Amino acid sequence: MKVIVDYDRCEGHGMCEERAGDIFRLDDAGDLHFSYEGEEIPARREADAKAAAGVCPVAALKIVS
Ligand code: SF4
């Protein structure tokens, strides 16, 4: 499973970071950093990555399998 981040769509709401702060992190400038850019999400982190994608209010996190 991978997550595609639409950085143009992201508005820095931070819900993903609240749900999975080790995967999604906002820096001081409000820019989102994604720990698994272009990589498979480790199986043990899939549930949290999916949950984070589910709470994004602007649907900037897309799950692809
Ligand atoms: S919840 Fe969505 S809009 Fe907010 S920081 Fe995460 S990806 Fe961006």
Side-chain angles (χ1 to χ4, degrees), residues 9-17 26 32 52 55-58 60-61:
R9 185 179 279 263
C10 173
E11 295 178 351
H13 294 289
M15 277 81 151
C16 57
E17 183 180 40
L26 288 169
L32 182 64
V55 297
C56 177
V58 295
L61 305 175

